[in-house]
Amino acid sequence: MPTLAVYPGSFDPLTNGHVDIISRGARLFDRIIVAILVNREKAPLFSMEERVEITRAVFREHPNVEVDTFDGLLVDYVERRHAQVIVRGLRAVSDFELEFQMALMNQRLNAAIQTVFMMPAEQYTYISSRLIKEVFSLGGRVHGLVPDMVEARLRDKLDAKR
Ligand code: PNS
């Protein structure tokens, strides 16, 4: 049976750390679905449509990478998609506590689904979407840390605010 993995997250915005994890997942699993959370509580910088468009554009040459959105419980979405694995990236020990809690909660909610942790390449271990937004909005360089399309969109957003 082909192994289908789901890589969930907010991706606001997609970083090269995410790209690294998705690429690794695409080599390891038959198919990986990048599942972007529809989060009604947070006001994202990038709309859901933009996040889907960017991720699809970055992986347009990877036929086994699919981009989708989800709402509600992650395990319900994974089950609906007939996937077996949840992929999460682990950058540092500081990620571990929350990731451990989520993996165990998801395991309790649906014991048939496995969480697999993957580490990005070393140069991406300190990147987070939050830090990218903060650094860029304060005039810092994020080149090489996010896909070029994300950098261009960040610039557009900053210009629009001026
Ligand atoms: O990119 P993020 O914000 O770290 O991703 C967090 C995400 C989307 C994986 C998590 O918030 C999630 O799974 N949300 C869906 C609701 C859910 O299932 N919550 C219980 C998780 S134990």
Side-chain angles (χ1 to χ4, degrees), residues 8-11 18 35 37 39 42 70-75 88 98-99 101-103 105-106 109:
S10 309
F11 306 104
H18 296 131
L37 176 71
N39 193 338
K42 279 196 228 166
F70 81 103
D71 204 357
L73 271 185
L74 173 61
V75 288
R88 290 289 288 169
L98 177 63
E99 293 299 334
Q101 278 179 358
M102 288 203 294
M105 178 58 85
N106 285 331
L109 294 170

Side-chain angles (χ1 to χ4, degrees), residues 21-32 62 64-65:
I21 297 288
I22 298 165
S23 307
R24 285 169 201 275
R27 290 197 293 273
L28 195 62
F29 303 107
D30 294 299
R31 189 172 184 77
I32 183 162
H62 293 71
N64 69 333
V65 176

Side-chain angles (χ1 to χ4, degrees), residues 57-82:
V58 170
F59 288 96
R60 65 184 170 275
E61 278 160 26
H62 293 71
N64 69 333
V65 176
E66 180 186 330
V67 182
D68 194 11
T69 62
F70 81 103
D71 204 357
L73 271 185
L74 173 61
V75 288
D76 291 345
Y77 173 77
V78 174
E79 191 175 17
R80 233 175 17 249
R81 295 302 314 264
H82 305 290

